[in-house]
Amino acid sequence: MPLDELLYKQEHSLYKQSYSPLELKSGVVCADGVGVGWYDEVGKPFIYRNTIPMWNDPNLEELSNYVQSTCTVGYARLAGIGESLDISNCQPFRSDQLLFVHNGEISNFQQTLYRPIRESLSDSTYRLIKGTTDSEHIFALLVQIWQSSPDSTLFWALGATLEKLAELASEYNTSFSANLIVSDGEAIAAIRYAYRTQAPTLYWSYDALKHPNQVIVASEPLSNNQNWTAFDEQSMLFFQAQSLEPRISLLKKFSAIGV
């Protein structure tokens, strides 16, 4: 699919959501940067990021008319309080085959989980962090957990990452919201999750008859058709290339600490 089909051409595309979101609670517009990641025909991941608003970025629109991919991850940024408008803080984040985006926040991140997350990382994973956002630190924790169990799936690694974050948040008396999407080009895992707060909205779309190999996950529905399903809080979606249908899981094991 051409990138512009997802980023620009839908009724409520990411482009439109950047300046006219319908369900954004933490601000008015997403004007603090834009990014898109995709995989080429041999599965190599690429990213484009910029610190300007998506609606002011003609380069991304030009690129989107040319690039096609079977797996795409896009993001319009609303910076957290105190976060700089630096390219290193723009998503998606990438490590080897992984592309990752996060919507949400860790409350009082610098004073609470900044150091505990870093102390849980190996030297190589620690060096992945180039910016200062809570999002990139969550990604580094995910990479650490996934690399420690190389035979595991993204589904398992994402769940284990949220479990570790919840443990740290409990220990350091903070809250967080974490809508996460991660892909290796062959599978995608997405989660809507919050600990002691409310998670942002998240939706998924799958049409077994018209588009049996296509799953779309978005903060807000990209169109007005009826094929969009809202994620429950503490729920996860997993879709593997060549599979017949997505797998949906409610993270019941987190229910006791995730309220």
Side-chain angles (χ1 to χ4, degrees):
M1 178 181 291
L3 298 193
D4 66 349
E5 183 69 27
L6 289 171
L7 301 182
Y8 293 95
K9 290 186 176 181
Q10 302 284 332
E11 299 167 66
H12 192 53
S13 64
L14 186 63
Y15 173 76
K16 188 169 184 179
Q17 289 183 41
S18 69
Y19 67 83
S20 184
L22 300 177
E23 301 185 69
L24 181 65
K25 305 297 184 183
S26 54
V28 178
V29 295
C30 298
D32 301 319
V34 61
V36 60
W38 68 93
Y39 295 84
D40 68 7
E41 63 277 3
V42 296
K44 183 178 180 180
F46 293 84
I47 55 174
Y48 172 91
R49 299 182 294 175
N50 207 330
T51 57
I52 63 176
M54 186 174 182
W55 63 81
N56 277 345
D57 191 346
N59 292 326
L60 177 57
E61 187 170 9
E62 188 79 10
L63 180 72
S64 298
N65 288 323
Y66 170 74
V67 174
Q68 299 186 48
S69 180
T70 58
C71 184
T72 305
V73 180
Y75 186 84
R77 186 183 183 215
L78 171 62
I81 297 174
E83 292 179 351
S84 63
L85 299 183
D86 187 273
I87 194 71
S88 63
N89 287 334
C90 290
Q91 304 184 46
F93 299 117
R94 175 181 60 186
S95 174
D96 295 328
Q97 286 296 112
L98 294 185
L99 293 175
F100 169 95
V101 289
H102 165 231
N103 182 25
E105 66 172 349
I106 299 174
S107 299
N108 301 313
F109 172 59
Q110 292 289 334
Q111 292 75 37
T112 57
L113 299 193
Y114 174 84
R115 189 165 183 176
I117 289 177
R118 286 184 168 235
E119 289 177 346
S120 69
L121 304 177
S122 66
D123 289 345
S124 60
T125 309
Y126 187 97
R127 288 192 292 270
L128 285 176
I129 301 174
K130 307 299 181 184
T132 59
T133 65
D134 52 357
S135 303
E136 191 176 19
H137 285 71
I138 294 173
F139 178 50
L141 183 61
L142 170 65
V143 172
Q144 176 76 32
I145 288 172
W146 199 43
Q147 290 181 346
S148 66
S149 300
D151 295 329
S152 64
T153 65
L154 285 178
F155 184 84
W156 176 88
L158 195 56
T161 300
L162 269 298
E163 187 172 17
K164 179 64 175 179
L165 276 177
E167 291 174 359
L168 291 174
S170 177
E171 181 178 354
Y172 290 90
N173 193 29
T174 192
S175 61
F176 70 87
S177 53
N179 287 4
L180 309 177
I181 300 174
V182 61
S183 178
D184 62 359
E186 293 293 328
I188 188 168
I191 191 170
R192 181 177 184 231
Y193 185 83
Y195 176 78
R196 294 179 179 171
T197 188
Q198 186 174 10
T201 58
L202 196 64
Y203 297 83
W204 63 281
S205 176
Y206 173 70
D207 191 328
L209 296 177
K210 293 183 179 180
H211 305 287
N213 296 315
Q214 176 178 291
V215 169
I216 302 176
V217 179
S219 295
E220 300 179 7
L222 301 184
S223 62
N224 295 325
N225 66 43
Q226 302 303 309
N227 292 324
W228 290 94
T229 302
F231 276 69
D232 293 328
E233 286 210 18
Q234 330 300 66
S235 64
M236 182 189 295
L237 176 146
F238 182 75
F239 186 77
Q240 180 77 40
Q242 311 305 325
S243 67
L244 296 178
E245 59 183 15
R247 184 174 76 188
I248 306 299
S249 175
L250 177 64
L251 302 180
K252 294 181 180 178
K253 64 178 180 179
F254 292 158
S255 59
I257 62 174
V259 177

